[in-house]
Structures are given as structure tokens and as C-alpha cells.
Amino acid sequence: MGLNMDFCFADARAILVLAGWSADPWLDLELHAEDARLSPVLVTRHARRDLRTAEPMGYLAVFDLGGLDLPGNAAIHLRTGHEFTELSPERLVTDELRLIEVGVDEVFFAWLRLVGQGTLTAPKGETAQAVMTRLRFAPLLARESDDFGLGTDRCLVGEAGQGLVSGWFMPAQGQTEALTALAMDDRQLCRVELMPGALPRADLQPYATRYRFSGTDGFCGSFLLAEPASGPVRVLFLIPGQHAAAGVLVAAEPTPAAALAIQTCQVQLELPDPTRQTRLRRAMLEPLPAWQPPSGVAPVRAGRVLLVLDHDLPDADLRDVLRRVGLRLDRPLELFLLRPGLTRPLAAAVEGAQRDLPQGLVLRGTGMALDREAPMAELALYGRSST
């Protein structure tokens, strides 16, 4: 039946997206960029009311060009079956804004889901403003319907743009997609690091007659706006399976920094998974800048390196972290682990890394503070495993 392409664009991470429609249930797509041939990493389908059918004829196809070293004038072609279509370089820059401004609702909402999932980077500047304008007139969903129920226990935002959400979500039928969310004010938006199914909620058992009850239907999440909030902050929950509306919009309550910190700690205590505790905290923080050596100081190429490590990942991941750091430094390594003590998985990880690193690894100790009076290595580095 052929493929109709309405939009094609690439984001800041070289993720290329095609949007359009086709009556074919399976799409034979391949992207040709110089000598590379790429299959889509993701294809989503959705119904489009402008096509006057309930069949999921709309599509978004996602390709990852991040690993390619393409020249600025590289020709990119889309192969569909035996036909080839060249993608205009100008459209790759301008079509995302066009989709937001003139794309039918279902295409715009499908694009929003890609941003909420983290597949696409959140837009900024003029493009973000266009999203805000479009959402002012977009259809929204009630918190409860025959298809799903959603409740929020917390929806908080601090003066610096840090936010926290928690609540519950229960669909009436099983879904292949997960609940996602976006936070926004009058001029910016960002993805919420949302963790559906992360919190035990046995108290939702009475809803089991209406929705699918698992016992772990609670969610939590956090976010950080790029700039301090300008105007009221809202959180848009993107509901799986609901392609004809933007989602459920919830106003965030302005909260002092101290109260927000207390609430964040409370949610962390409710999370049974330590990895998710770390994710919740980390999504509120600015990324750490890459380390740069002090100006005017000649780099030290020999001698031992003391690594003071805040290992905020699962214990078993320590071996991989140490192996990567040790191979990068290519020098004898002393490890001081910022942990109260050494668990069996941590000890096994250190022993494994000692076998992996030919230049040598010595565990100097563990604890929450380093003895600065003890003899030091020539170079001391601090690091956090997750960054």
C-alpha cells in the first residue's frame, strides 16, 4: 500500500524520526546514510482520526545516527521496499517544529511520548514555546475512567526547579507501554524520571474489581527544570494506550527546599530497591561537570592514584566501574570506598577487579570519611559510580 511520510527530523543526539501513515501492518524501512544501513530502533503505531479509521495507520519510526561519523553534506535516503526517498537536510532541522505546530493531535501526542520516554531530547527555546502553546488547547483526560485510574499523593516543585511526584496508576487492561510524564512551566519542559510499579500499594486492593491490581501499582519520580520555574509548574502524565488526548495534567505545589528534601527522603525510604532510591535523588541534580586538570599544572604520568569512590550503583557493578577506571588511568590504583563497610558482593567485586587490572589495585579502606593524616598517593581522585 506504500508509505506516506509527513515529517522527518533529527534531535540534538542525532536521533532521527520519521512520522506519517501507512495501511501496511508491517513497515519495511531502512535508512541509508553514506555507507551505513540502519534499521529503526523503534516503531510505534497509533490511530489517526483524520484518516477516518480506528486502525493504527499512523507511525513514528526512530533511527539512531549517533554512532555514525557523517559529514555535514551527507546524503540520507529512506528505503521502503524497492523505493528510495532522499531526506532533505532542511527538513531534518525544521520538521520537528512543524510537527508540533501543524501535526494532527495523534502525531503530536505520539511525539510527546517519545520525549517522555527519553527517546528524544526535550525541546528548548522556540520549539518548547510551541509545545506550551499547543498544549493549552489540547484535549486532556480525567484522573479516572473505565480505561485507567491515576492518583497523585505528591506533586511538588521547589524554587530551583527541582520536583517530586508520587502516586498510583492502574490500567484496566495490560499495556505494552509504561506510564511516563513531563514537567513544564510557561516556557520550558523536561522529562520526569518516572518509576511506575516502584512502590508497594496493597491499599489499592478495592480497585481490583475495576482495574488490574498487582500490589506494586505505586509510582514515584523526580525532575529538574533547566531554569528556576517561571509561572505555575504542571506535570503531564502520558497515559499508555490513550492516543487521542495529551494525558492527565496535575498542578505542582510550590514547596520550600527543606520540605522538598524531607519528602524526597520519605519516598526513598518507601522504595525497596536501592537503585531506584539513587535514581530518584540523581534526577534532581545537575550533571557533574567533566573533570579538568588544573591549569598550569603538568600532568602526573607515574605513581599510584588514590580513588575515593562513592559507589551509588548495585554492589555487583563495582567490579565493572573499577575495571573501566583502572584501564583508563593505566596506573596502580588505591581504592577508598565511601561505604560503612564491605559487603560480600562488594568484596567479591574488588577481588574480581584486582584480577582484571594488571597494573594493580589495593583496597585502602572503607568508611564515610578519609583519614587525611595517613600517607597519600601522588594523585587523589573523587568519583561517583553513576556519573
Side-chain angles (χ1 to χ4, degrees), residues 76-94:
I76 300 177
H77 293 82
L78 173 68
R79 181 191 62 77
T80 55
H82 298 290
E83 298 181 0
F84 286 81
T85 303
E86 184 173 1
L87 304 185
S88 163
E90 180 182 357
R91 291 188 65 183
L92 294 179
V93 176
T94 61

Side-chain angles (χ1 to χ4, degrees), residues 44-239:
T44 67
R45 303 300 296 263
H46 53 271
R48 282 181 45 168
R49 286 176 293 176
D50 63 315
L51 300 177
R52 299 182 180 180
T53 175
E55 295 298 318
M57 293 174 60
Y59 72 85
L60 289 183
V62 180
F63 298 83
D64 187 358
L65 307 184
L68 303 181
D69 185 16
L70 297 176
N73 59 349
I76 300 177
H77 293 82
L78 173 68
R79 181 191 62 77
T80 55
H82 298 290
E83 298 181 0
F84 286 81
T85 303
E86 184 173 1
L87 304 185
S88 163
E90 180 182 357
R91 291 188 65 183
L92 294 179
V93 176
T94 61
D95 262 17
E96 185 173 37
L97 181 59
R98 286 186 57 245
L99 182 152
I100 295 166
E101 292 179 335
V102 303
V104 297
D105 278 351
E106 291 85 354
V107 175
F108 173 60
F109 301 148
W111 172 87
L112 276 179
R113 283 173 171 76
L114 291 184
V115 178
Q117 295 164 7
T119 304
L120 291 176
T121 54
K124 300 178 181 180
E126 180 186 5
T127 308
Q129 291 284 355
V131 175
M132 303 300 121
T133 301
R134 181 77 184 258
L135 285 174
R136 290 192 186 101
F137 306 99
L140 299 173
L141 297 169
R143 299 195 187 198
E144 291 190 29
S145 70
D146 293 338
D147 298 321
F148 70 92
L150 181 141
T152 51
D153 303 319
R154 299 174 180 87
C155 190
L156 312 174
V157 65
E159 293 182 359
Q162 297 169 319
L164 174 71
V165 296
S166 70
W168 58 271
F169 173 70
M170 299 172 67
Q173 298 179 350
Q175 299 290 338
T176 57
E177 300 176 359
L179 179 72
T180 57
L182 297 169
M184 63 197 72
D185 61 13
D186 293 336
R187 53 185 173 84
Q188 60 184 327
L189 78 158
C190 71
R191 175 176 174 265
V192 178
E193 181 68 23
L194 198 67
M195 292 172 276
L199 294 173
R201 290 297 299 264
D203 60 307
L204 298 175
Q205 173 68 44
Y207 280 97
T209 57
R210 296 182 60 191
Y211 307 123
R212 293 174 64 92
F213 171 73
S214 68
T216 57
D217 301 297
F219 67 78
C220 64
S222 55
F223 61 88
L224 175 65
L225 295 169
E227 300 177 7
S230 171
V233 175
R234 287 93 57 199
V235 174
L236 179 67
F237 291 92
L238 308 168
I239 307 300

Side-chain angles (χ1 to χ4, degrees), residues 327-347:
L327 293 176
R328 180 69 179 269
L329 293 174
D330 195 27
R331 294 167 58 179
L333 203 60
E334 295 181 9
L335 172 66
F336 185 87
L337 198 59
L338 292 176
R339 286 288 189 93
L342 207 61
T343 64
R344 286 187 178 181
L346 286 175

Side-chain angles (χ1 to χ4, degrees), residues 279-295:
R279 284 176 59 191
L280 187 75
R281 182 184 72 246
R282 189 166 63 233
M284 291 183 169
L285 303 176
E286 291 277 4
L288 289 175
W291 180 80
Q292 297 291 337
S295 58

